[in-house]
Amino acid sequence: MTQHLADALTSDSGLPTTTGTRPGWWREAVIYQVYPRSFADSNGDGMGDLEGIRSRLPYLKELGVDAVWLSPFYASPQADAGYDVADYRAIDPMFGTLHDADAVIREAHELGLRIIVDLVPNHCSDQHEWFKQALREGPGTPLRERFHFRPGQGDDGELPPNDWESIFGGPAWTRVADGEWYLHLFAPEQPDFNWEHPAVQDEFRSILRFWLDLGADGFRIDVAHGLVKAPGLPDLGRDEQLKLLGNQVLPFFDQDGVHEIYRSWRLVLDEYAGDRIGVAEAWTPSADRTALYLRPDELHQAFNFHYLSTGWDAEALRATIDESLDSMRPVGAPTTWVLSNHDVVRHRTRFGSLERARAAALLMLALPGSAYVYQGEELGLPEVVDLPDEVRQDPSFFKANGQDGLRDGCRVPIPWSGDQAPYGFGEGGSWLPQPAEWAGLSVEVQTGDPASTLELYRAALRIRRERGDLGAGDAVEWLEAPEGVLAFRRGDFVCTVNTTREPVRMPAPGTVLLASGEVTDPGVLGADTAVWWQG
Ligand code: GLC
Ligand code: CA
């Protein structure tokens, strides 16, 4: 074991555990999502890696975020870009070594950045030792009980055990050579664990400790709503099940039993110094049901997918913001805000313009709670919509809940510098081709240009940090505003957002702190523009 690894095991990271006087750094943190394969490539193989991430940590520090969430870098056959984990304690050689992971965590801490790692507990890879052994040992053997193996229906067991559909399309069951079927809510290469089994529960508490010992500040919990299945795995009784995801409690999603698991994880997190957190990726039918994951003895945050799914519409945004804040208040958890991630069409493209994307960023960063920034959104990157079929790698596409379309278009490696692809991403190529226009969107081009989206994010995060109060609290005070305009006050700070395509005349509530578009007359709010005011 290296010395710093040993240090990490014995000492706290030394980071402050509170922001200002309010307990919990995570309550108002801005958390930057790194998608490792597409962030920075250190060895020229066209694939981003941990050493690439480490070398770019100063960029993230300068951007002004508080923490970095790393999508999976574990040993994996990459059937679902690493969300199919073969070994939860090993790094995929494509991303580097455990030593590299340790270096990322250590150097991030030295810079005052926290690191959140992705944990995938609903399923593993079909190349995970347990699953391979379960297949070898055959029906009725103990290893099979750690997954959901069942005989099929029909005369020869040729029909799946129930009618559940995979989120990636097709039946959620695959038949193996000996005739049994196993459950996979996602790809066939991602068998679901049986969370009733004590060995599964023990194993994940041990995995949590492994990463906490290494210094991880928390976990983003993949498919946090899926671990527990209804007893007896009952049929749903209808097709087009994807349409129901996130709209109602399903026998495989948002079962009440999941909360017991997070209570036991919370005990583990709390054994460690330094305010370690759990962030739920939980698709639930309502913000109120999401709040259940954030009761004081469970997790700390959950992604606000209701916000992500809200269109560029003042009334709808206001309703979602109110509902989000209202539903978190009873459990005392911070609300979170997110516009983009590795599963959805980038918000610049979703909302239809860079102007709107910039305005949306200022709105998000003015709201109380924690905000998630997906790599490249600070550059104003659009979705890459014209990837040739042969380069795509996404095993599937989501058809509901805003996740509509193949997911490779938001995963294209980001441009850092230069006028030739891969634009400083690495010295080789890039695993997905980057559009020629991205030369003009690189970090290098945007740095120092006050009109650039990168400098807008930097300025917003600087103001947020300096003021120290924008992320605080659990309420906004809405101000009267013309139709299509959002206006709210937070103490002596006001945010106005015009979601319409026309400039709107309204009295200036103060002096301009920052604006997503030009302000030529403070009495006129430009089309698709957000302004921060000191007032
Ligand atoms: C989550 C991830 C997604 C992955 C799926 C299965 O939704 O964000 O990328 O495909 O879980 O693990
Ligand atoms: Ca690489």
Side-chain angles (χ1 to χ4, degrees):
M1 188 183 302
T2 60
Q3 184 51 46
H4 50 259
L5 199 55
D7 289 348
L9 291 173
T10 52
S11 76
D12 180 11
S13 65
L15 296 169
T17 56
T18 58
T19 313
T21 54
R22 293 167 300 273
W25 64 271
W26 42 275
R27 289 192 164 269
E28 49 207 71
V30 176
I31 301 177
Y32 184 97
Q33 180 187 359
V34 164
Y35 195 64
R37 35 168 72 215
S38 305
F39 191 63
D41 170 22
S42 72
N43 62 353
D45 65 356
M47 191 54 84
D49 46 51
L50 287 167
E51 174 54 20
I53 296 169
R54 191 199 59 74
S55 70
R56 300 289 188 178
L57 288 171
Y59 165 77
L60 298 177
K61 175 68 186 172
E62 209 192 314
L63 179 59
V65 299
D66 302 293
V68 181
W69 148 35
L70 303 171
S71 277
F73 44 66
Y74 313 106
S76 161
Q78 306 288 322
D80 183 20
Y83 283 95
D84 49 319
V85 180
D87 183 345
Y88 291 86
R89 298 178 184 82
I91 307 296
D92 198 280
M94 162 175 131
F95 294 126
T97 62
L98 204 49
H99 200 91
D100 297 333
D102 177 43
V104 168
I105 295 173
R106 183 171 46 87
E107 288 194 28
H109 285 173
E110 281 164 10
L111 289 168
L113 293 167
R114 287 183 158 89
I115 295 287
I116 292 173
V117 297
D118 215 312
L119 187 71
V120 190
N122 180 68
H123 46 262
C124 57
S125 159
D126 61 354
Q127 296 307 305
H128 189 283
E129 270 316 311
W130 285 8
F131 190 75
K132 288 201 289 191
Q133 209 177 324
L135 281 191
R136 276 198 304 271
E137 289 184 1
T141 55
L143 259 293
R144 290 229 167 169
E145 287 166 20
R146 298 182 185 185
F147 300 92
H148 296 281
F149 277 92
R150 294 284 185 285
Q153 302 188 82
D155 292 343
D156 299 312
E158 74 283 8
L159 298 172
N162 72 16
D163 68 356
W164 296 0
E165 288 169 8
S166 150
I167 315 302
F168 289 164
W173 296 89
T174 289
R175 197 173 196 193
V176 302
D178 55 51
E180 279 204 328
W181 298 72
Y182 67 89
L183 176 70
H184 54 85
L185 292 183
F186 292 85
E189 296 88 348
Q190 293 168 296
D192 279 48
F193 282 115
N194 171 15
W195 268 90
E196 306 295 327
H197 200 295
V200 173
Q201 298 168 11
D202 289 348
E203 173 67 353
F204 272 89
R205 279 191 295 260
S206 157
I207 293 165
L208 288 175
R209 288 201 173 87
F210 180 86
W211 290 100
L212 291 166
D213 286 341
L214 209 64
D217 297 288
F219 301 89
R220 176 264 187 189
I221 301 156
D222 190 65
V223 196
H225 53 299
L227 278 47
V228 171
K229 278 73 180 175
L233 312 183
D235 277 339
L236 224 76
R238 58 168 287 182
D239 49 15
E240 299 206 305
Q241 294 173 9
L242 289 183
K243 291 202 177 129
L244 305 177
L245 298 179
N247 295 325
Q248 64 183 65
V249 176
L250 297 169
F252 47 81
F253 273 176
D254 200 28
Q255 290 286 308
D256 289 334
V258 292
H259 298 290
E260 215 38 66
I261 297 169
Y262 300 126
R263 284 191 194 106
S264 87
W265 288 13
R266 180 59 178 262
L267 296 175
V268 176
L269 292 171
D270 286 349
E271 283 169 18
Y272 287 78
D275 240 350
R276 318 287 180 106
I277 67 166
V279 181
E281 185 214 21
W283 287 91
T284 72
S286 69
D288 290 338
R289 283 202 66 90
T290 300
L292 297 178
Y293 291 75
L294 309 176
R295 286 174 285 193
D297 59 347
E298 294 192 40
L299 301 173
H300 299 74
Q301 294 188 352
F303 294 112
N304 188 346
F305 292 123
H306 299 284
Y307 188 68
L308 186 147
S309 320
T310 305
W312 188 240
D313 173 278
E315 218 176 303
L317 283 165
R318 178 170 167 167
T320 305
I321 292 168
D322 279 339
E323 191 203 9
S324 306
L325 292 167
D326 290 348
S327 56
M328 292 304 141
R329 223 168 276 127
V331 293
T335 307
T336 65
W337 313 101
V338 59
L339 294 167
S340 284
N341 65 34
H342 66 295
D343 289 330
V344 300
V345 172
R346 283 187 177 275
H347 68 268
R348 167 173 171 180
T349 303
R350 256 185 14 248
F351 290 154
S353 73
L354 179 59
E355 289 68 32
R356 288 181 176 179
R358 291 166 56 97
L362 285 200
L363 169 59
M364 170 171 87
L365 294 172
L367 293 169
S370 181
Y372 282 81
V373 172
Y374 175 52
Q375 67 176 41
E377 78 173 68
E378 80 278 21
L379 304 175
L381 296 187
E383 182 82 357
V384 180
V385 289
D386 53 359
L387 285 172
D389 285 353
E390 59 276 15
V391 304
R392 289 186 181 270
Q393 295 200 12
D394 182 5
S396 71
F397 55 97
F398 285 95
K399 291 177 182 149
N401 299 316
Q403 301 187 322
D404 53 354
L406 295 164
R407 297 174 298 170
D408 290 312
C410 62
R411 298 177 176 180
V412 174
I414 63 171
W416 291 92
S417 59
D419 46 21
Q420 295 288 321
Y423 310 116
F425 165 67
E427 310 250 290
S430 62
W431 68 279
L432 285 174
Q434 301 153 302
E437 308 80 69
W438 283 20
L441 292 173
S442 72
V443 171
E444 183 181 53
V445 166
Q446 296 197 38
T447 295
D449 173 359
S452 73
T453 301
L454 177 56
E455 293 299 348
L456 179 72
Y457 270 76
R458 283 181 176 153
L461 293 172
R462 191 180 321 117
I463 293 171
R464 196 176 150 109
R465 205 169 47 246
E466 282 167 8
R467 294 186 53 100
D469 59 352
L470 288 191
D474 60 7
V476 300
E477 180 194 336
W478 293 106
L479 305 175
E480 221 173 293
E483 210 185 316
V485 174
L486 292 168
F488 58 90
R489 175 177 288 283
R490 322 267 327 272
D492 62 356
F493 170 94
V494 175
C495 177
T496 55
V497 188
N498 179 3
T499 65
T500 75
R501 292 195 189 275
E502 299 298 329
V504 171
R505 197 158 270 290
M506 62 186 285
T511 53
V512 175
L513 279 174
L514 187 64
S516 70
E518 244 181 297
V519 183
T520 35
D521 171 355
V524 177
L525 188 57
D528 289 325
T529 299
V531 181
W532 286 7
W533 309 84
Q534 176 81 44

